[in-house]
Amino acid sequence: MTVALRDTPVTPDVVAAHGIRTDEYDRIVELLGREPNFTELGVFSLMWSEHCGYKYSRALLSEFPSTGPQVVQGPGENAGAVDVGHGFAVVFKMESHNHPSAVEPYQGAATGVGGILRDVFTMGARPIAMLDSLRFGALDDPHVRYLFRHVVRGVGDYGNCVGVPTVGGEIVFDDAYAGNPLVNAMCLGLIRHEDLMRASAAGPGNAVYVLGASTGRDGIHGASKLASTELSADTVESRPTVQIGDPFTEKLLLEATLELIESGAAVGVQDMGAAGLTSSSSEMAARAGTGIEIDVALVPRREPGMTPYEVLLSESQERMLVVARPDQEPALMAIAEKWDLPCTRIGIVTDDDLWRVLEDGEEVCRIPVAALVDEVPRYVREVQEPSYLAEVHGSMPDPDEITRIDPLAALEGLLSAPTIASKRWVWEQYDHHVQTNTILGPGPAGAALLSIKGTPGALGVSTDGNGRYVYCDPRRGGALAVAEAARNLATVGARPLGVTDCLNFGNPEKDAVYFQFAEAVRGIAEACRAFDAPVVSGNVSFYNESPKGAIYPTPTIGMVGLLEDVEARPRGGGSPGDSLILIGRDGAHLGAGSLLAEVLGIVAGRAPAVDLDAERRHAEIVRELVRGGVAVSAQDVSDGGLAVTAAETCFGLPAACGIEIELPEAEGGPHGAMFGEDGARYLLVVPAERRDLARQRLDSGAVPWREAGRVTSDGRIRFRDVGERPREELERRWRNAISDRMETMEDER
Amino acid sequence: MSGVPIGIVRFPGTNCDQDVFDAVAAIDGALPVWLWHKETALGGVRGIVLAGGFAYGDYLRAGAIARFSPIMERVIAFARSGGPVLGICNGFQILTEAGLLPGALMRNAGLSFVCREQWLRVDSTDTPFTRHFRPRQLVRFPVAHGEGNYVADDETLDLLEGEGRVVFRYVDEAGEATPLANPNGSARNIAGIADERGNVVGLMPHPDRAMSLLVGSEDGREVFRGLLEAAA
């Protein structure tokens, strides 16, 4: 975008260049009662973009459950919050930074972390943990390695500097993301209920301040241009629309914001994130039912000659909008000075319901607040099931083709597939200990477990999502993402409290994508209801398409749960003679699964069927066995089925241990039982002396289960009547798959 | 609240301050006290901890700007007068920049930030912070840093070893200082050192993150117990 002058005429070409449809433009004229000027047009293009206004998604998102006795703050604020007892609440949200990361991976990922941190501490909560859900193309592609390396470094450098531990997440490598990686960051914060701050510009006559960094030309149109259109060959030219992060300033802003909220030195605080000053000021006014007047000439700049258009649309990082009463101003200024942060008065709250922008006292914009925030167009589209689904469902390979696969060779292949392999290379670059709450960090467990200081409890957190399932079966895939997150929480003994989500899809103006989105949302909504896990915050990222096509539709679910007593956490360990108990039926479903994708290189069939009632009952009994110490550890059975779960369970045992698994007789070979990805299943390690206890409990629970094997002392991973491998050999493949590639192969920018 | 006041210095960008505060508070008889970087007096504290983080953003060089802050002048005088001073991670970097400890901490040999559980061997029990350990005892503190590669010239390294001032070394589970056990390329696997008198110790690993079995280790308690006794 060329430098915008405020008197640029608004022609149809200019309107189109802002991504505003003709009918939308007509509506703007109707709302204003006149034609917008150039600056106002830019403001509408931001506020009515999908990224800020959710025009394609809002109607469907209303299907999500969002209430419950535990909900302290539902959707609509900077982040959601749920009660964790003892006077505390957990504030959390997940957000995408996909396109910026595709264009400039280090800064894109870093500022994604910065943005989500601000969403949480804006509410008054001290951030206590981050999780990152990442998707890249195949790791053998040198450009993918470049993106992966720099995204990981960007996430790490930012979080490490601010002092918030990165405790978990997931990473998937698949060609579907080659042209459009996904970077979703989730942040959790802890707060006492009474300190919760809302982002509202209440009280006409109160003053409006910018706290933090000065405003530059970075990130102009990030929300509308970068986040709300497809990536194209010349998107790299969009580098200037990617913001630059400064984690040191963020840390100061964090401390200053928490201090001013705690000391009652503000009425409302809002992060200046996507769409910067424009969205923060208009949304604060909308929430309070007030108007707001800002003079852009008062906003501290880092570059000379910026137009009102540029100041309003800048996405410069590490800035907050603060509203304070006159009597609060001295305290606000003292806190800003303590933390060496500029704090500048730029406007005032009014009672005229108008969003007014001045430059040196001269009016530049005059728009009803409601026109920007409440009048965003909403599109609900009627679309048919896309034809590719029937093709995918009908293209399962011949049973013979599967029978011919050597199961042990397949297991080796799966364990060394980067998606399944150990992610140690990644998480060792993240500080996952700081703040000393991390009981279970990244690595061994399916979910992170964090102590909640000041209470006897602990938080379980997991992020999950399987884009291939959603591609093959949008509704099931959506539900399965929630189910897997709930399973992961169950393995650490935690009960679901709430969900945040990041819905990463292609271009919703295309029928197939809209269908995927609508169906996946329904699947998520159904599963969240089943688990009593309301969706309290989230984010939609559309237009994840590159010249290589759309990504797999990839909703990422971030689930937060509670273990009421930290003493009931799983203790890990295990020793020869311990039982391996499979909860749930033996597997059979290979459709849309890892065996087909990673070993045969095909994507075919339906995703596993979803039985939410079984999911709920099985999770309950696993939680009970873990909390009672009957099981010392539990893993859910997911990617790669029982075989991969068993191997990973073995890698978590003391060094000399092996495992032996018995498989049911099955026509056509052991593949279904070994690699099937049927849902509601877990593998538990139960010490020999508690075997009878487990048996009693399971027999009374009407849950299908069997003793699937035991821990051995011979250091081998054995599938009875199928074959075996030395644990060390499989573990080496699993441990080194990613680090070998990253340490020995060159990148390409 | 009463107890022996232990000062915890907060620079802008310090991020392990609360962890150290909690660690000090966990020792009976110790009273943690904040020391803001703009302050020009120590307010009667009897011991000082420089906590980890990224003081002043670690711009220029880790610890390079922090040493010029007003509080550091007082910290340096306190250390020179024999007061117990412990520098953890970024705090260790600041102590070397301030000239209280020899050598420097460079970018990790692998060039990446590294965060992991780490075995250490206590090679000197002749400091207030390690007197409760047995000689050559193995302890587990996490490491988390990008610039922890300890370097000094051979003469200095020989001197440190000769005078028993290498306090902690990175080792494997068996207590051997192997290259594989070295997370950052530090010379001679050095993880922590003392000044001539032993009252100033800096180390890269985090005893403040090893205060409870809930997070994997409580070996750090002895470090803070020793600090309290030296301060009392």
Side-chain angles (χ1 to χ4, degrees):
Chain A
M1 175 130 294
T2 51
V3 175
L5 300 171
R6 53 186 291 191
D7 49 2
T8 304
V10 175
T11 64
D13 284 351
V14 168
V15 172
H18 277 79
I20 292 176
R21 295 167 25 164
T22 318
D23 56 331
E24 290 172 348
Y25 183 76
D26 293 344
R27 179 73 181 136
I28 291 169
V29 172
E30 188 187 333
L31 286 166
L32 291 179
R34 60 178 167 82
E35 306 260 337
N37 63 35
F38 181 78
T39 305
E40 291 169 335
L41 184 74
V43 165
F44 272 104
S45 83
L46 277 181
M47 295 304 293
W48 285 18
S49 70
E50 177 57 38
H51 195 69
C52 294
Y54 296 97
K55 60 185 171 188
Y56 287 101
S57 55
R58 182 67 60 94
L60 291 166
L61 296 180
S62 63
E63 295 183 28
F64 285 155
S66 62
T67 56
Q70 74 272 42
V71 174
V72 175
Q73 177 62 57
E77 276 285 342
N78 284 290
V82 294
D83 179 35
V84 294
H86 305 275
F88 287 95
V90 166
V91 174
F92 61 101
K93 190 183 182 188
M94 179 156 43
E95 207 162 70
S96 61
H97 233 214
N98 303 335
H99 283 182
S101 303
V103 174
E104 218 305 300
Y106 180 87
Q107 290 295 347
T111 54
V113 171
I116 196 67
L117 281 166
R118 286 193 297 282
D119 278 332
V120 166
F121 71 72
T122 297
M123 309 273 297
R126 178 168 288 276
I128 57 165
M130 301 273 319
L131 294 90
D132 295 282
S133 177
L134 311 176
R135 302 288 183 277
F136 297 95
L139 203 48
D140 293 315
D141 175 340
H143 181 63
V144 168
R145 287 196 296 276
Y146 160 77
L147 293 174
F148 175 49
R149 187 184 310 278
H150 289 86
V151 163
V152 167
R153 195 158 282 172
V155 166
D157 281 359
Y158 206 101
N160 296 346
C161 183
V162 177
V164 179
T166 299
V167 299
E170 8 102 66
I171 308 176
V172 171
F173 300 92
D174 191 299
D175 268 334
Y177 306 101
N180 193 131
L182 302 184
V183 174
N184 294 178
M186 176 175 174
C187 180
L188 295 89
L190 193 63
I191 192 171
R192 289 194 160 277
H193 284 252
E194 63 269 24
D195 292 335
L196 196 69
M197 181 67 148
R198 266 105 187 177
S200 120
N206 288 338
V208 180
Y209 304 80
V210 179
L211 173 68
S214 52
T215 298
R217 288 199 169 95
D218 48 330
I220 290 176
H221 274 300
S224 57
K225 275 296 156 52
L226 205 48
S228 301
T229 52
E230 296 172 25
L231 290 172
S232 67
D234 39 279
T235 310
V236 276
E237 301 305 320
S238 309
R239 285 221 171 89
T241 61
V242 178
Q243 315 85 337
I244 308 296
D246 174 5
F248 174 60
T249 302
E250 177 97 343
K251 169 70 171 162
L252 304 184
L253 197 57
L254 185 167
E255 297 297 341
T257 303
L258 293 183
E259 196 169 321
L260 77 88
I261 291 173
E262 202 169 295
S263 63
V267 171
V269 183
Q270 162 87 41
D271 162 38
M272 290 164 76
L277 184 55
T278 299
S279 78
S280 55
S281 58
S282 55
E283 285 173 8
M284 282 186 92
R287 288 197 192 99
T290 56
I292 203 163
E293 180 187 293
I294 287 165
D295 193 326
V296 288
L298 301 173
V299 176
R301 328 272 176 94
R302 63 177 76 136
E303 298 172 69
M306 289 180 71
T307 62
Y309 183 97
E310 291 173 315
V311 174
L312 287 170
L313 274 53
S314 164
E315 292 188 4
S316 289
Q317 298 287 290
E318 292 95 20
R319 299 180 300 162
M320 286 283 182
L321 201 66
V322 178
V323 172
R325 293 188 309 269
D327 64 293
Q328 291 171 318
E329 185 178 281
L332 170 63
M333 290 300 178
I335 290 166
E337 192 182 326
K338 172 179 172 188
W339 293 100
D340 297 321
L341 290 171
C343 184
T344 313
R345 186 174 169 154
I346 61 162
I348 193 163
V349 178
T350 62
D351 60 1
D352 58 7
D353 301 330
L354 285 175
W355 185 78
R356 288 180 74 227
V357 176
L358 315 176
E359 187 184 32
D360 272 331
E362 188 189 334
E363 189 170 88
V364 180
C365 300
R366 183 190 181 88
I367 305 173
V369 170
L372 291 177
V373 180
D374 303 326
E375 295 291 337
V376 178
R378 303 264 184 267
Y379 299 121
V380 179
R381 306 182 52 217
E382 289 300 325
V383 292
Q384 301 296 310
E385 176 173 310
S387 57
Y388 85 86
L389 281 171
E391 276 169 47
V392 168
H393 296 168
S395 60
M396 277 295 281
D398 200 63
D400 287 351
E401 204 180 329
I402 289 170
T403 307
R404 277 198 299 274
I405 298 173
D406 172 354
L408 270 298
L411 177 58
E412 286 173 359
L414 286 168
L415 290 171
S416 42
T419 296
I420 291 176
S422 166
K423 307 299 185 299
R424 178 181 291 270
W425 182 86
V426 175
W427 53 255
E428 277 203 343
Q429 297 185 52
Y430 302 152
D431 189 336
H432 47 271
H433 297 131
V434 64
Q435 299 192 27
T436 64
N437 296 315
T438 311
I439 301 168
L440 291 171
L449 194 64
L450 302 162
S451 55
I452 313 170
K453 288 202 186 106
T455 86
L459 282 177
V461 202
S462 180
T463 68
D464 294 282
N466 185 323
R468 195 171 58 239
Y469 283 175
V470 186
Y471 173 75
C472 291
D473 235 317
R475 193 155 181 168
R476 285 185 180 180
L480 286 167
V482 178
E484 174 149 16
R487 280 179 228 147
N488 280 325
L489 291 196
T491 65
V492 298
R495 177 174 56 82
L497 284 179
V499 158
T500 183
D501 61 18
C502 219
L503 307 176
N504 309 275
F505 288 76
N507 179 347
E509 297 158 55
K510 295 179 182 171
D511 291 355
V513 170
Y514 191 83
F515 179 87
Q516 291 166 338
F517 181 76
E519 285 292 291
V521 164
R522 278 176 201 127
I524 292 168
E526 286 160 4
C528 285
R529 281 203 180 84
F531 288 108
D532 282 329
V535 180
V536 297
S537 61
N539 156 255
V540 178
S541 172
F542 281 138
Y543 304 97
N544 289 290
E545 304 205 13
S546 72
K548 294 177 184 173
I551 58 160
Y552 283 150
T554 310
T556 308
I557 298 298
M559 191 181 279
V560 174
L562 184 66
L563 172 64
E564 287 84 354
D565 180 3
V566 72
E567 292 307 318
R569 70 191 184 277
R571 301 304 172 115
S575 55
D578 289 358
S579 283
L580 298 173
I581 289 179
L582 174 68
I583 308 276
R585 294 186 197 290
D586 273 294
H589 187 97
L590 297 174
S594 304
L595 183 73
L596 301 193
E598 301 284 1
V599 177
L600 294 180
I602 56 173
V603 175
R606 298 200 62 175
V610 182
D611 179 346
L612 290 172
D613 181 54
E615 291 282 3
R616 203 175 47 221
R617 285 185 296 113
H618 297 189
E620 184 57 46
I621 206 156
V622 168
R623 234 177 345 257
E624 192 185 317
L625 293 173
V626 167
R627 289 178 175 202
V630 178
V632 292
S633 72
Q635 295 263 350
D636 82 305
V637 179
S638 58
D639 293 355
L642 177 64
V644 165
T645 306
E648 289 178 346
T649 296
C650 185
F651 303 156
L653 295 167
C657 293
I659 53 162
E660 179 175 66
I661 297 284
E662 283 150 31
L663 297 167
E665 296 261 341
E667 257 179 77
H671 302 83
M674 285 179 73
F675 304 110
E677 296 181 3
D678 311 59
R681 299 191 305 147
Y682 303 80
L683 191 64
L684 275 52
V685 178
V686 174
E689 68 274 16
R690 284 172 228 157
R691 202 170 134 207
D692 289 341
L693 211 59
R695 185 184 293 271
Q696 280 167 22
R697 178 60 193 96
L698 286 163
D699 280 341
S700 68
V703 164
W705 70 280
R706 72 181 179 93
E707 191 169 351
R710 66 204 56 81
V711 178
T712 65
S713 56
D714 64 4
R716 301 182 77 78
I717 291 178
R718 180 181 306 116
F719 294 87
R720 272 255 292 270
D721 304 324
V722 176
E724 62 183 75
R725 289 284 189 279
R727 163 184 169 171
E728 173 51 34
E729 183 189 316
L730 292 180
E731 192 169 355
R732 184 165 30 82
R733 287 173 184 273
W734 174 80
R735 192 175 51 228
N736 297 340
I738 291 178
S739 57
D740 278 356
R741 284 178 174 84
M742 297 311 292
E743 280 158 20
T744 62
M745 298 165 94
E746 298 280 316
D747 298 351
E748 186 182 300
R749 190 173 169 149
Chain B
M1 290 288 280
S2 66
V4 180
I6 306 288
I8 298 150
V9 181
R10 303 178 94 183
F11 298 102
T14 302
N15 65 26
C16 300
D17 41 354
Q18 189 63 47
D19 296 348
V20 170
F21 189 96
D22 293 347
V24 170
I27 306 298
D28 274 347
L31 177 67
V33 174
W34 294 123
L35 291 176
W36 186 238
H37 68 115
K38 293 176 184 173
E39 286 172 33
T40 53
L42 295 179
V45 301
R46 309 285 296 276
I48 293 175
V49 186
L50 301 182
F54 292 75
Y56 300 94
D58 270 0
Y59 295 129
L60 188 59
R61 202 168 60 244
I65 303 175
R67 60 170 285 214
F68 293 111
S69 64
I71 195 75
M72 277 309 290
E73 212 173 296
R74 311 311 312 161
V75 172
I76 290 168
F78 180 81
R80 297 232 155 100
S81 73
V85 176
L86 177 67
I88 301 168
C89 199
N90 193 220
F92 182 17
Q93 294 160 345
I94 294 167
L95 291 177
T96 60
E97 288 287 338
L100 287 172
L101 291 172
L105 293 142
M106 310 291 281
R107 193 91 191 268
N108 291 351
L111 301 182
S112 295
F113 190 95
V114 60
C115 177
R116 61 171 72 143
E117 309 289 334
Q118 176 72 48
W119 285 106
L120 303 170
R121 192 178 64 210
V122 182
D123 276 9
S124 166
T125 53
D126 212 12
T127 80
F129 312 100
T130 51
R131 55 185 291 257
H132 290 294
F133 294 119
R134 297 184 310 279
R136 297 177 71 79
Q137 183 177 337
L138 299 191
V139 297
R140 219 154 102 112
F141 302 160
V143 293
H145 56 250
E147 300 182 28
N149 181 358
Y150 183 74
V151 296
D153 56 42
D154 282 338
E155 204 181 329
T156 306
L157 294 170
D158 291 343
L159 184 78
L160 286 171
E161 287 186 332
E163 294 182 348
R165 290 163 55 195
V166 174
V167 182
F168 294 101
R169 255 188 249 267
Y170 301 111
V171 294
D172 62 18
E173 239 178 303
E176 298 303 320
T178 63
L180 258 181
N182 188 339
N184 52 32
S186 286
R188 305 186 194 181
N189 281 44
I190 289 173
I193 56 172
D195 70 347
E196 290 92 337
R197 285 193 285 181
N199 62 301
V200 178
V201 166
L203 76 166
M204 288 310 297
H206 283 275
D208 49 319
R209 300 186 188 182
M211 296 295 290
S212 157
L213 291 178
L214 205 55
V215 295
S217 168
E218 55 183 2
D219 295 338
R221 297 182 71 88
E222 300 304 332
V223 172
F224 290 96
R225 194 151 71 93
L227 165 62
L228 169 67
E229 288 165 4

